[in-house]
Amino acid sequence: MHCRLFLFTFVLLSGITRAYGQTDTAQQGPFAFNLANCIQYGLAHQNDVVNARLDINFSQEQIKEATGKLFPHADVNASFTDNLKLATSLIPDLTNPSSGVRIPVQFGTRFASAVTGQVNQTIFNSDYFLGLKAAKVYGGLAEKSYKRTEIDTRVAITKAYYAVLANEESIRLSKANMDQLEKTLKDTRARYDVGVAERVDVDRIQVSYNNVVTDIETQIRLLVYTTQLLKFQMGMPQEAKLDLTQTVQDLNVESFISDTVDYQVQDRVEYGIQTTQIALNELNLKSKKMSFLPSLNGFVNYGWNYFSSDFGDLYKTGFGASALGLTLAWPIFTGTERIHQIRQNKITLEKSENDLSYLSQQIKLEVTNANTQYLNNKSRFVTQKTNMGLTQGIYERIVLKFEQGVASSLDVISAESELKQAQVDYVQALLNTLISKTELDKAMGKIK
């Protein structure tokens, strides 16, 4: 009966729950939202979306960092030396060179200091320029990852939203049953009081009424949970009050269509992410190939050197020095290391291209499966909606016959039980259809 729907909904919602954190906000509502409002709120407050936006900012800073490596770099170096004991050297006796005598002497001063400033500028370095390109590609990857996070958030919010509407619909139907049973119970008790009905008829209908009341209480508790789950997926505080402005009747599920003809695998954000990964692998390969090229740097410096035997006189006189030059580094041969690194990068690139082809086939299969699930669920939904209408009519006619004395209380209980089961099947089929339509749109890349 209804317990099957509760269990099904709980398991389904548990499957779509993701480890999302919530962003603190001072807004506590009340909020009156439709689905679009819920999605809009979630894209502004949901933790993963917020972090994905920060990742974009992070990638932009990495691009600026790569650009900054091409600018001149300046640094200042200073030193101070206290030669506690000067080094001794032996030199020939210049007054008598033929004697072979070596005279010990000490050169320099006890104290020495130097200050030098230098500016370095990269003129050519393949890693710097390729690094700049890679940083820009990585920035594109961060943007695509942000889009995927947005899509996942939209899907999670949509599923949770539909679960709330399905629970509200289930409560509405159960309350309608309760009202009908309550009327039948009052009429039967009145007939029993005048001796027209039997006590067993009153008790049987009372049992059914009690069960419906309990079912509604259970559904209300489940509604509270699904609403909390929806707020969780939106990044909304649990304390906030959220009311939904739509019902399942507003969705017009029968008008949903599945168009799997015009979709393209390129519409899926995962396809774009994989193509970006291929671009990164191509840059890595190019970087290894260009590592055979030399790097050229220019520099200019200026500094002062100070010498003194007395610390107090050290900085009285300085001797300037300056240089302007170029440095060239050309790794002519580094064994066979780079050759094997290039081959490894070629293999990595080939694997990523194979992954793109595999992803295309995977997307097509996902679309086929999602479309099959959607069409099956929609067919069951249409059937269950029709069946619910039929069982509702049967129930009403049985109640009328019971009131006229040509049907028993057992007939009423049986009809009411069949009606409840039809309503459970209807709500379950409704939720399945809504969720499978969302999965189909996601598979075809229609959720932007």
Side-chain angles (χ1 to χ4, degrees):
M1 295 297 183
H2 285 67
C3 293
R4 287 177 50 193
L5 175 62
F6 304 148
L7 179 59
F8 167 80
T9 307
F10 180 81
V11 172
L12 179 63
L13 293 177
S14 298
I16 65 174
T17 302
R18 295 185 293 161
Y20 283 162
Q22 291 183 333
T23 304
D24 291 337
T25 174
Q27 296 180 338
Q28 298 297 322
F31 299 100
F33 281 176
N34 58 20
L35 177 57
N37 299 140
C38 291
I39 292 175
Q40 183 180 12
Y41 185 98
L43 295 182
H45 298 87
Q46 208 283 323
N47 183 71
D48 284 0
V49 178
V50 173
N51 283 344
R53 281 197 293 266
L54 293 176
D55 286 339
I56 292 179
N57 296 337
F58 184 83
S59 66
Q60 292 173 346
E61 294 300 326
Q62 287 185 315
I63 295 174
K64 295 176 182 178
E65 176 189 357
T67 305
K69 292 180 179 180
L70 302 177
F71 295 153
H73 288 58
D75 57 271
V76 175
N77 297 296
S79 65
F80 169 79
T81 304
D82 182 353
N83 297 302
L84 299 175
K85 185 173 180 63
L86 292 173
T88 300
S89 300
L90 296 177
I91 64 173
D93 185 357
L94 299 180
T95 61
N96 188 9
S98 61
S99 64
V101 178
R102 301 287 181 176
I103 301 174
V105 296
Q106 293 177 325
F107 294 97
T109 60
R110 177 179 176 181
F111 299 100
S113 182
V115 178
T116 302
Q118 179 165 311
V119 177
N120 299 284
Q121 174 61 55
T122 299
I123 299 175
F124 176 79
N125 188 311
S126 61
D127 285 344
Y128 282 4
F129 295 104
L130 287 175
L132 179 59
K133 290 183 179 180
K136 292 180 179 179
V137 174
Y138 179 77
L141 181 62
E143 291 179 356
K144 289 182 175 64
S145 297
Y146 170 72
K147 291 180 180 179
R148 180 171 62 181
T149 303
E150 271 196 335
I151 291 172
D152 291 342
T153 300
R154 287 176 178 270
V155 170
I157 291 175
T158 301
K159 289 181 178 181
Y161 185 90
Y162 288 156
V164 174
L165 294 189
N167 275 277
E168 290 179 342
E169 176 69 3
S170 182
I171 292 174
R172 183 187 70 81
L173 294 173
S174 295
K175 285 185 175 180
N177 291 350
M178 182 184 68
D179 293 340
Q180 180 64 53
L181 273 175
E182 184 178 18
K183 178 179 180 301
T184 303
L185 179 61
K186 289 181 179 179
D187 293 343
T188 305
R189 184 176 286 116
R191 294 166 59 196
Y192 169 74
D193 291 339
V194 297
V196 178
E198 297 182 5
R199 180 67 187 183
V200 67
D201 296 329
V202 177
D203 291 343
R204 283 172 178 168
I205 297 175
Q206 181 69 58
V207 168
S208 294
Y209 178 80
N210 294 342
N211 289 336
V212 171
V213 172
T214 302
D215 285 346
I216 293 175
E217 293 173 351
T218 303
Q219 293 172 60
I220 289 175
R221 285 189 288 268
L222 183 58
L223 176 62
V224 171
Y225 165 72
T226 52
T227 303
Q228 289 176 339
L229 175 61
L230 174 59
K231 290 188 287 187
F232 179 78
Q233 304 288 29
M234 294 167 55
M236 178 180 287
Q238 293 295 312
E239 299 78 15
K241 180 170 177 50
L242 175 64
D243 295 318
L244 305 188
T245 59
Q246 292 176 296
T247 65
V248 293
Q249 284 74 25
D250 298 322
L251 301 178
N252 194 13
V253 181
E254 290 88 344
S255 65
F256 287 1
I257 59 174
S258 61
D259 181 11
T260 59
V261 177
D262 296 332
Y263 88 96
Q264 295 179 336
V265 294
Q266 292 83 356
D267 293 336
R268 284 281 292 270
V269 67
E270 291 85 358
Y271 190 94
I273 291 176
Q274 185 60 30
T275 56
T276 304
Q277 185 60 53
I278 292 176
L280 286 174
N281 291 338
E282 289 174 340
L283 286 173
N284 287 335
L285 175 60
K286 189 175 182 180
S287 175
K288 288 300 178 184
K289 288 182 176 180
M290 295 184 67
S291 64
F292 289 96
L293 298 177
S295 61
L296 181 63
N297 298 278
F299 70 90
V300 60
N301 62 35
Y302 194 91
W304 290 268
N305 297 308
Y306 301 91
F307 307 97
S308 176
S309 298
D310 187 355
F311 179 76
D313 298 330
L314 178 61
Y315 293 103
K316 288 184 177 181
T317 302
F319 303 91
S322 180
L324 173 66
L326 297 172
T327 60
L328 177 68
W330 195 344
I332 301 297
F333 183 72
T334 58
T336 60
E337 176 184 351
R338 286 182 298 188
I339 295 176
H340 295 295
Q341 288 177 342
I342 290 175
R343 291 175 181 174
Q344 292 172 27
N345 286 339
K346 285 182 178 179
I347 294 174
T348 301
L349 175 59
E350 186 176 353
K351 288 174 60 179
S352 62
E353 291 172 343
N354 291 338
D355 288 340
L356 182 62
S357 177
Y358 176 78
L359 178 62
S360 299
Q361 299 303 317
Q362 186 179 27
I363 290 174
K364 293 176 182 179
L365 183 60
E366 287 180 4
V367 171
T368 301
N369 179 61
N371 188 52
T372 300
Q373 295 296 325
Y374 169 67
L375 292 177
N376 290 341
N377 287 326
K378 185 176 181 181
S379 177
R380 279 193 290 267
F381 165 73
V382 173
T383 299
Q384 296 303 332
K385 186 175 183 181
T386 302
N387 290 346
M388 184 180 67
L390 293 173
T391 53
Q392 179 68 45
I394 293 172
Y395 174 72
E396 292 173 354
R397 287 191 293 273
I398 293 295
V399 169
L400 180 60
K401 289 182 178 181
F402 174 70
E403 292 174 349
Q404 295 173 348
V406 294
S408 68
S409 58
L410 286 176
D411 295 329
V412 174
I413 301 305
S414 177
E416 191 270 339
S417 177
E418 291 175 356
L419 175 60
K420 285 199 298 185
Q421 185 60 52
Q423 291 171 344
V424 168
D425 293 340
Y426 160 74
V427 174
Q428 182 171 317
L430 169 67
L431 185 57
N432 283 343
T433 303
L434 292 171
I435 289 180
S436 59
K437 181 61 167 64
T438 303
E439 291 290 353
L440 176 60
D441 290 341
K442 179 184 178 183
M444 291 191 296
K446 290 187 176 182
I447 299 179
K448 303 297 182 181

